[in-house]
Amino acid sequence: MAGSHPYFNLPDFTQPSPPSTPPSLPSHQRCQPSDATKGLLVALLGGGLPAGFVGPLSRMAYQASNLPSLELLVCRCLFHLPIALLLKLRGDPLLGPPDIRGRACLHAVLNVFSIGCAYTAFQMVPTGNAATVRKGSSTVCSALLALCLESQGLSGYDWCGLLGSILGLIIIVGPGLGTLQEGTTGLYTAVGYVLAFLGGLMLSLGLRVYCSLLFPSCLPTVAFLFGLVGLLGSVPGLFVLQTPVLPSDLLSWSCVGAVGILALVSFTCVSYAVTKAHPALVCAVLNSEVVVALILQYYMLHETVAPSDIMGAGVVLGSIAIITARNLSCEREGKVEE
């Protein structure tokens, strides 16, 4: 029969063909973001950007009602205390396991000292410069600690991004440091820069301590300990070193509430990020806080932003792009493909 001839065995074009679907990769071959990529993105979007609002809002609260720095720290610590309910619901100890309780408390002390120095510096020098010095010192100290830890080496691209980030911060803050006035005003400004530097140093040490805390409820535990230790340390200091002030206007209360919420979000995201990516790279990506603070310093506080600030901010953004692009990778079949 003609139909049995191979030339007559043709497909029936009168019937509609089923729609073609692209072949799907097996689940074990699909590209997933690596841990380093997740950590850096969380640090950039959840850590640096919200933290950039903290400095200008703190300065606005100080200008509106002379709210002292320790009182602002007390208000922030109050936002951390409700985390105790989460720990109780999970059946976890509030202070963490007994064997790591000392290191967890040390982490809280370092963070409280870092935040206290930062809030004081925000009231003494321009917020953009204070954030620059704090983030710059944390980046430098984290990079130096990375040199001492051979097991956590950095690639050449990472070091290039770190050096570029530090260079951008120097461009921003360098002209201001070179024109310090003599006398009381200059000393007051110099103390603000010293406090900002100490805040960055304590931040880098705190991140290193956090990386050594390995237990399931680590993040909520350290967040609660920060609030507890902060209250125990700042409340007595507030009445001894400063004068408590009750905010009387809506602007001050709004700034205090915004600082507490944004700082809690930033604290949580940064703590998560250092468990996924190298702490030095996380600190470098957190320099995005400086760029946000400079923008808000100009538009919200109406403070001068010099051309060197704009140039330095561009260098910082370029270094963040280098670090992020270098660490953008995907995991496929248990291997990392960049």
Side-chain angles (χ1 to χ4, degrees):
M1 297 177 60
S4 62
H5 195 276
Y7 290 102
F8 291 95
N9 291 334
L10 299 177
D12 187 4
F13 293 100
T14 62
Q15 299 295 330
S17 60
S20 60
T21 57
S24 59
L25 292 175
S27 59
H28 64 280
Q29 292 184 354
R30 293 175 184 174
C31 185
Q32 299 292 335
S34 65
D35 286 344
T37 302
K38 294 177 183 178
L40 293 179
L41 291 179
V42 169
L44 175 63
L45 301 177
L49 296 184
F53 288 82
V54 173
L57 291 175
S58 303
R59 193 171 183 88
M60 288 177 62
Y62 176 73
Q63 293 176 348
S65 56
N66 290 326
L67 194 70
S69 58
L70 289 178
E71 185 172 350
L72 192 61
L73 179 58
V74 170
C75 296
R76 173 180 172 175
C77 292
L78 292 176
F79 283 85
H80 287 249
L81 295 183
I83 301 178
L85 298 177
L86 175 62
L87 293 173
K88 282 295 185 181
L89 291 176
R90 297 178 55 176
D92 298 324
L94 295 180
L95 304 182
D99 55 337
I100 56 90
R101 193 165 293 172
R103 281 180 293 163
C105 292
L106 175 62
H107 172 267
V109 171
L110 292 173
N111 273 276
V112 169
F113 189 82
S114 173
I115 299 301
C117 290
Y119 286 170
T120 306
F122 288 149
Q123 299 177 3
M124 301 176 70
V125 297
T127 55
N129 290 356
T132 301
V133 173
R134 180 170 179 259
K135 292 304 179 185
S137 62
S138 66
T139 304
V140 171
C141 294
S142 296
L144 293 177
L145 289 174
L147 287 175
C148 300
L149 299 177
E150 298 180 358
S151 60
Q152 294 186 350
L154 296 173
S155 66
Y157 289 98
D158 293 333
W159 281 111
C160 180
L162 286 174
L163 294 177
S165 178
I166 295 170
L167 176 62
L169 298 178
I170 293 175
I171 294 174
I172 294 175
V173 78
L177 292 176
T179 58
L180 289 178
Q181 301 177 359
E182 297 181 356
T184 306
T185 304
L187 179 62
Y188 184 80
T189 305
V191 170
Y193 282 120
V194 170
L195 290 176
F197 176 83
L198 291 178
L201 173 62
M202 295 299 106
L203 174 61
S204 62
L205 294 176
L207 292 178
R208 284 293 175 178
V209 174
Y210 180 79
C211 291
S212 66
L213 302 176
L214 301 176
F215 59 99
S217 59
C218 180
L219 183 54
T221 300
V222 298
F224 169 73
L225 280 176
F226 174 86
L228 180 62
V229 174
L231 284 178
L232 295 178
S234 57
V235 170
L238 174 63
F239 289 93
V240 174
L241 302 176
Q242 298 176 345
T243 302
V245 174
L246 182 64
S248 57
D249 57 339
L250 180 61
L251 176 61
S252 299
W253 284 112
S254 301
C255 291
V256 170
V259 166
I261 296 174
L262 292 174
L264 179 59
V265 171
S266 179
F267 179 91
T268 305
C269 292
V270 172
S271 299
Y272 171 82
V274 294
T275 63
K276 302 296 182 180
H278 196 285
L281 300 181
V282 172
C283 289
V285 172
L286 289 177
N287 291 336
S288 58
E289 171 188 345
V290 176
V291 180
V292 177
L294 286 174
I295 296 174
L296 297 179
Q297 174 182 324
Y298 179 79
Y299 286 103
M300 293 178 58
L301 302 178
H302 304 290
E303 296 179 353
T304 305
V305 176
S308 60
D309 297 335
I310 300 176
M311 184 184 305
V315 175
V316 169
L317 291 177
S319 64
I320 293 175
I322 292 175
I323 294 173
T324 306
R326 169 63 182 82
N327 289 274
L328 281 178
S329 58
C330 64
E331 294 179 348
R332 183 177 297 170
E333 294 183 347
K335 297 180 180 179
V336 176
E337 297 183 0
E338 298 179 3

